Amino acid sequence: EVQVAESGGGSVQAGGSLRLSCYASIYAFNTYRMAWFRQAPGKEREGVAAINSVGTTTYADSVKGRFTISQGNTKTTLYLEMNSLKPEDTAIYYCAADPQAFITNTWSSVTTWRYWGQGTQVTVSS
């Protein structure tokens, strides 16, 4: 069973930065993809950014230019660098992993991801 665990959430003022980390044992697969999702109160879970095992990335329009997804050197750790944070970025952020090689145009659909972490809270105050 693949283990997924997030860390690094917290509270920050608008305009500030946070870095989220996610450990996932998905590296046991030769090919894989990983992603960050978020869910605000009363809203559906939405895709934030994704990356695959060869480093291809994609972002939601709402975070382009502000957030950066990356992998650690050992590829067991996923990061989300969040800059210029806005109050609307407030949500529980989830890490997801899946043994698929490609990031398709359905990447932001929660049903296409097999493994999930428990989530970490990010709160941005105005």
Side-chain angles (χ1 to χ4, degrees):
E1 181 71 12
V2 173
Q3 296 181 329
V4 181
E6 308 93 340
S7 63
S11 297
V12 65
Q13 290 191 326
S17 299
L18 278 175
R19 188 193 199 197
L20 304 183
S21 300
C22 170
Y23 168 80
S25 57
I26 195 71
Y27 63 87
F29 294 91
N30 290 329
T31 59
Y32 58 86
R33 56 180 187 156
M34 297 180 71
W36 289 99
F37 283 74
R38 66 185 181 186
Q39 188 166 17
K43 294 189 177 181
E44 293 186 352
R45 193 171 299 189
E46 63 175 2
V48 174
I51 188 169
N52 68 2
S53 50
V54 296
T56 302
T57 61
T58 190
Y59 295 89
D61 288 342
S62 59
V63 305
K64 281 181 181 177
R66 300 189 299 121
F67 291 11
T68 302
I69 190 171
S70 63
Q71 297 182 89
N73 290 335
T74 61
K75 295 189 177 181
T76 60
T77 305
L78 181 71
Y79 300 105
L80 185 68
E81 188 75 38
M82 304 185 293
N83 298 313
S84 301
L85 283 161
K86 305 175 182 180
E88 51 263 44
D89 294 318
T90 295
I92 299 174
Y93 282 71
Y94 297 90
C95 179
D98 192 83
Q100 293 188 46
F102 302 105
I103 299 173
T104 67
N105 57 5
T106 62
W107 73 270
S108 60
S109 172
V110 298
T111 60
T112 65
W113 295 85
R114 187 180 303 182
Y115 305 107
W116 292 86
Q118 293 300 307
T120 185
Q121 178 70 47
V122 171
T123 302
V124 184
S125 58
S126 58

